Amino acid sequence: MDWLTRILSLSIKLWLNLSPSLPLGVYRAVDGPPTRGSIVVVCLPEQIGRFARDRGYLGYGPCPGQVERLGKRVAAIAGDTVEVTAARVVVNGFAIPGSGRLVCDSRGRWLPGTEGRVVLRPGELFLLATDNRRSFDSR
């Protein structure tokens, strides 16, 4: 195996986070379904990804719409009940501290978001970054 192949194979399993949305560091990918509290690196649906890229929340990358991947902590998985209000996010009846929804970004631009209660379907995740109040996540 040449050095380039080794580097490329490592890049698939390692992820460097420089974003304030999660603790800084190098993360290692593991196999298996996401669980509450785990950190995931995902491609957003194309429309949401382009919105994030156009606003400068994410850069260019390999995901649909030429958007970079998003790294966040999983707050809820399929079957969980999530309630979002302006004041907080509640998952399965547990209020998550510091999870109130913002209505404007740091430049004063309106942030789309929905308030209400939903039960997540198979394949859906609710991603939440309480490390940084201004993080772009599922709220």
Side-chain angles (χ1 to χ4, degrees):
M1 184 184 294
D2 69 340
W3 67 271
L4 181 57
T5 304
R6 274 183 264 152
I7 290 172
L8 291 175
S9 67
L10 283 176
S11 69
I12 294 171
K13 297 291 183 182
L14 297 177
W15 176 64
L16 174 64
N17 178 57
L18 299 176
S19 160
S21 296
L22 291 168
L24 299 177
V26 177
Y27 292 83
R28 181 176 57 89
V30 296
D31 293 327
T35 58
R36 275 179 233 91
S38 65
I39 294 172
V40 296
V41 179
V42 299
C43 286
L44 295 172
E46 187 170 349
Q47 183 177 359
I48 296 169
R50 281 190 180 171
F51 171 84
R53 190 194 65 212
D54 291 347
R55 290 268 184 116
Y57 308 148
L58 295 174
Y60 283 87
C63 294
Q66 299 179 334
V67 180
E68 71 179 320
R69 292 176 184 93
L70 180 76
K72 297 290 178 207
R73 193 168 303 279
V74 176
I77 59 175
D80 287 344
T81 301
V82 178
E83 183 178 1
V84 178
T85 68
R88 64 186 181 185
V89 173
V90 178
V91 176
N92 297 330
F94 175 75
I96 300 175
S99 62
R101 193 174 85 71
L102 298 175
V103 294
C104 293
D105 68 10
S106 60
R107 293 183 173 172
R109 298 173 294 189
W110 173 80
L111 286 170
T114 57
E115 294 186 8
R117 180 179 288 187
V118 65
V119 176
L120 297 184
R121 296 178 294 207
E124 292 181 329
L125 298 172
F126 191 91
L127 306 178
L128 188 63
T130 56
D131 296 307
N132 179 355
R133 173 102 170 101
R134 296 216 158 266
S135 184
F136 185 72
D137 57 29
S138 294
R139 291 176 276 187

